[in-house]
Amino acid sequence: MRKGAIKETEQNQEQFLARRNVFKKSMKKNLYYLLFALPVLIYVIGLAIIPAITVVYDSFIGRNGYTLANYMALPSYGLYGALINTMMVSVGALLIQLGIALAIAMVLIRPFKGKKAFSTLVIMPLGISTVVSAFVFSIIFQAVGGYANSALVSIGLRPIDWFNTNSSSLGVVMFSDFWKNTPLVALILYGGLSSLPPTLYEAASVDGAGAFNRFIHITLPNIAPIMSIALLVRGVSEFNIFALPLVIVGYHPLILNTLIFENYSSLQTRNISYAAATLLLAIIMIYSIIVVRLGGARDHVN
Amino acid sequence: MSTNRGKLGTYIAVIILSIIFIYPLWILIIYAFQPAYLTFDKLYPSQIPLAFTLSILVQSFKKVDLIGPLTRSLEVAFMVGLIAIGLGIPAGYGLSKITSKLSNKLVVFLFVINMMPGLVVAIPISIYFLHANLDNTVFGVALAQELVVLPLSVFITLSAFRSLPRDLEHQARVDGASLSSTFFRILIPMIRVPIIVAFLLAWMTSWDEFTYAVIIAPIVPTDSTFPVTLYNYVSRNLPLESATFALVATIPVIILAAVLQKYLKGQYLSGGLVG
């Protein structure tokens, strides 16, 4: 009995040593091949992580050492408005994009005449530069000489001063963003939809489920993971939205990124701009964590 | 009955969506090819073109510098594409050799870093570049923009190397090929399509990139890429010149997108999704 036990421990030890050797070997191999990826890692650490740490650190630095003064001063630079506007644009644009993209994906999944032409048309905005599309939308929505107003007048409606109020200006930004970015979301969702087995729908049809019920009970739950990926990707970019509002509305209404951009260039306000940047970073991190936790996007990332 | 109604609904949706997606491009074209009295000077301009002229284009080329910024954008985009595959190929190769658990974690790490706001990263970089005399240079802008494209490049090359048969490299080595000749004569040619895709995607991203460019090479017109210069012209209220510029800058991307469509069959999109 005791002998057996000793033998067993010896065996265990041998196994352990063998496994450790294999582990060591694979670690060595891993380390060797990691060298190939080292330039990329150094690049990202040096040009992304260290700069970001600098920003966060400097946002807590005042004239006499550590301070929260930069954050306290932010409201006087228009922080609250910028925060609310950023949220409004992000959430609004995300909802429009998801809704229309889902519609496009549902259309594309069916066979119809002219499908190829339609899909080419739909992905076209992906190839148009952000600044170019921002410029075109600023022509379309101009109060004087704008094409949106000329369309309104031609059907007998009154022209609108699109950039007169905060909400209509943000509406224009949202619409331009929808135009530029819906194609990507539609492609993502189309990928998700086309991977669903058709038998799923056939079975439901046999069971007598109507189109609406099939959508709610089959389509939506099945593409929820891929929708959460779309939400993660687009949501993060929505909070980062910069060129579009800068070209279309300038600094009125402010969003977080234009607030950062407005104040970064002078030394007096640079740390103020860093404080705003830190807030934006925090918002994006919190948002990503929530989406990944809720939607299980993580399983799909790997 | 219901399928007919469904079809009709589909066609109505298709038509409305098509109009929405084509409309801005249509406006850009009729703005650039009509005389200003029909567009810029008109209170309610017509939605359909009433006259045709090339004078807006010709005048714009005379009045402002369009070639300079486009050339710089081209230089930056090629540099970004080359660095992307130059760094991406070895990284993809190395990561394909280590345990997939670790390599997946590293790729996710790259994509997560990519989620950081561009401005947060760009402002400190511009200060480093100022000290290194890289501000306002083509190389400096390319180095900064590279951050945006690196994760996807690594992801594409990694997936490509993973899809190669495992024995391939081993057999080549047994046959007496050296590491470098195996790499350059056998492995690289086998994944040339993903490499082209990675290059083109990086190129197109750089062509569109604004945030890093405007910080690293700001509104000094002689030293900026085309998106920054276009922003400059728009904010100086030069709509006719901007329209010309926008149109000219869109053409190379449309050509590239057509090339890309040949190679792109959706599998790289799932890489794009992650970031």
Side-chain angles (χ1 to χ4, degrees):
Chain A
M1 182 66 198
R2 263 185 72 189
K3 230 180 172 180
I6 292 172
K7 214 175 177 187
E8 210 168 74
T9 43
E10 268 176 1
Q11 255 179 356
N12 275 351
Q13 203 155 8
E14 256 168 45
Q15 267 180 1
F16 173 74
L17 283 177
R19 229 182 283 156
R20 199 170 67 174
N21 270 342
V22 170
F23 179 72
K24 264 190 173 169
K25 243 186 181 169
S26 76
M27 272 312 282
K28 233 179 174 176
K29 188 177 154 234
N30 276 350
L31 276 179
Y32 170 69
Y33 282 111
L34 263 181
L35 284 179
F36 287 91
L38 205 58
V40 168
L41 293 176
I42 292 175
Y43 199 101
V44 169
I45 290 169
L47 282 184
I49 296 184
I50 292 176
I53 293 173
T54 325
V55 165
V56 175
Y57 179 81
D58 282 357
S59 74
F60 292 103
I61 299 287
R63 232 169 275 157
N64 321 304
Y66 297 107
T67 175
L68 283 175
N70 300 320
Y71 290 89
M72 306 298 231
L74 270 178
S76 63
Y77 289 87
L79 173 73
Y80 296 132
L83 266 178
I84 293 169
N85 294 339
T86 307
M87 290 292 172
M88 267 172 58
V89 169
S90 305
V91 174
L94 258 187
L95 289 181
I96 306 171
Q97 277 169 39
L98 269 188
I100 306 277
L102 195 56
I104 294 173
M106 304 274 288
V107 166
L108 280 178
I109 204 86
R110 291 177 210 178
F112 64 93
K113 252 185 210 165
K115 183 169 158 171
K116 209 168 179 194
F118 179 63
S119 58
T120 310
L121 257 184
V122 162
I123 59 168
M124 204 186 49
L126 273 179
I128 311 262
S129 233
T130 310
V131 181
V132 169
S133 43
F135 161 67
V136 177
F137 279 102
S138 72
I139 305 180
I140 291 177
F141 288 103
Q142 266 167 13
V144 178
Y147 285 84
N149 277 345
S150 107
L152 284 182
V153 169
S154 68
I155 55 169
L157 295 173
R158 273 211 254 145
I160 298 171
D161 188 353
W162 298 95
F163 297 113
N164 190 28
T165 65
N166 265 5
S167 47
S168 62
S169 302
L170 293 178
V172 173
V173 173
M174 265 186 243
F175 186 78
S176 325
D177 188 64
F178 144 78
W179 185 82
K180 173 81 179 100
N181 293 308
T182 300
L184 181 65
V185 186
L187 281 180
I188 297 175
L189 295 184
Y190 175 67
L193 275 182
S194 50
S195 69
L196 298 184
T199 45
L200 213 63
Y201 289 93
E202 280 160 27
S205 293
V206 170
D207 290 347
F212 181 73
N213 272 331
R214 277 189 307 224
F215 177 73
I216 295 287
H217 295 293
I218 298 178
T219 311
L220 273 188
N222 274 301
I223 60 163
I226 209 134
M227 261 179 122
S228 79
I229 291 183
L231 265 178
L232 181 66
V233 176
R234 279 309 313 155
V236 169
S237 322
E238 261 350 303
F239 285 118
N240 278 329
I241 191 171
F242 174 51
L244 214 53
L246 184 69
V247 173
I248 297 178
V249 298
Y251 300 101
H252 308 279
L254 263 185
I255 58 152
L256 270 179
N257 260 329
T258 43
L259 171 76
I260 298 170
F261 187 64
E262 198 180 18
N263 294 305
Y264 95 96
S265 47
S266 101
L267 265 183
Q268 273 95 26
T269 53
R270 175 165 294 157
N271 284 1
I272 303 274
S273 135
Y274 281 178
T278 305
L279 276 182
L280 181 60
L281 188 61
I283 291 173
I284 286 176
M285 280 161 74
I286 293 168
Y287 174 83
S288 326
I289 291 170
I290 292 174
V291 173
V292 170
R293 280 277 147 81
L294 283 185
R298 207 182 349 196
D299 308 334
H300 273 253
V301 168
N302 291 342
Chain B
M1 178 67 197
S2 95
T3 52
N4 264 344
R5 226 171 47 197
K7 259 204 172 136
L8 188 68
T10 306
Y11 275 113
I12 291 173
V14 165
I15 290 169
I16 292 175
L17 288 167
S18 302
I19 292 174
I20 292 178
F21 282 113
I22 199 90
Y23 185 68
L25 210 62
W26 171 251
I27 295 298
L28 179 59
I29 290 168
I30 65 173
Y31 207 81
F33 289 110
Q34 281 191 104
Y37 71 87
L38 284 173
T39 56
F40 180 59
D41 295 333
K42 209 153 181 192
L43 183 55
Y44 298 121
S46 159
Q47 310 280 347
I48 39 174
L50 303 171
F52 176 83
T53 176
L54 285 175
S55 71
I56 301 279
L57 267 73
V58 174
Q59 290 299 319
S60 304
F61 271 95
K62 277 185 199 153
K63 195 169 160 193
V64 292
D65 182 18
L66 300 184
I67 301 296
L70 286 175
T71 319
R72 269 181 293 280
S73 264
L74 273 177
E75 288 168 4
V76 172
F78 274 105
M79 226 178 264
V80 169
L82 286 178
I83 302 175
I85 56 174
L87 288 177
I89 291 173
Y93 174 73
L95 290 179
S96 75
K97 293 284 173 188
I98 65 178
T99 53
S100 56
K101 213 173 156 188
L102 184 60
S103 59
N104 284 346
K105 275 205 179 114
L106 283 172
V107 172
V108 171
F109 165 77
L110 289 180
F111 277 111
V112 168
I113 296 306
N114 214 16
M115 288 178 179
M116 286 199 296
L119 278 180
V120 170
V121 179
I123 297 171
I125 292 183
S126 76
I127 299 167
Y128 305 158
F129 282 5
L130 203 69
H131 294 303
N133 282 329
L134 280 172
D135 59 311
N136 274 326
T137 63
V138 168
F139 186 55
V141 176
L143 275 184
Q145 289 184 345
E146 196 60 43
L147 285 169
V148 188
V149 303
L150 260 188
L152 190 57
S153 319
V154 173
F155 178 80
I156 291 174
T157 49
L158 170 61
S159 325
F161 278 117
R162 272 185 185 161
S163 70
L164 291 180
R166 290 206 159 183
D167 288 352
L168 190 73
E169 198 183 339
H170 185 67
Q171 271 169 9
R173 298 299 296 278
V174 168
D175 290 349
S178 70
L179 180 65
S180 65
S181 78
T182 313
F183 195 73
F184 288 108
R185 297 245 177 103
I186 299 168
L187 298 183
I188 299 279
M190 284 194 75
I191 59 160
R192 62 182 182 281
V193 171
I195 291 176
I196 294 171
V197 170
F199 177 84
L200 290 181
L201 285 177
W203 197 101
M204 284 172 70
T205 310
S206 161
W207 190 258
D208 181 29
E209 209 286 329
F210 177 77
T211 310
Y212 286 98
V214 79
I215 301 276
I216 310 281
I219 323 287
V220 185
T222 48
D223 282 311
S224 247
T225 57
F226 116 79
V228 179
T229 314
L230 176 57
Y231 161 62
N232 187 24
Y233 293 162
V234 174
S235 55
R236 274 163 57 195
N237 206 7
L238 300 167
L240 300 175
E241 292 76 9
S242 303
T244 306
F245 203 17
L247 198 67
V248 174
T250 303
I251 294 164
V253 194
I254 288 178
I255 296 171
L256 264 195
V259 175
L260 197 59
Q261 216 174 14
K262 231 170 68 178
Y263 292 120
L264 212 58
K265 289 195 191 84
Q267 72 266 44
Y268 300 110
L269 195 75
S270 59
L273 318 183
V274 190

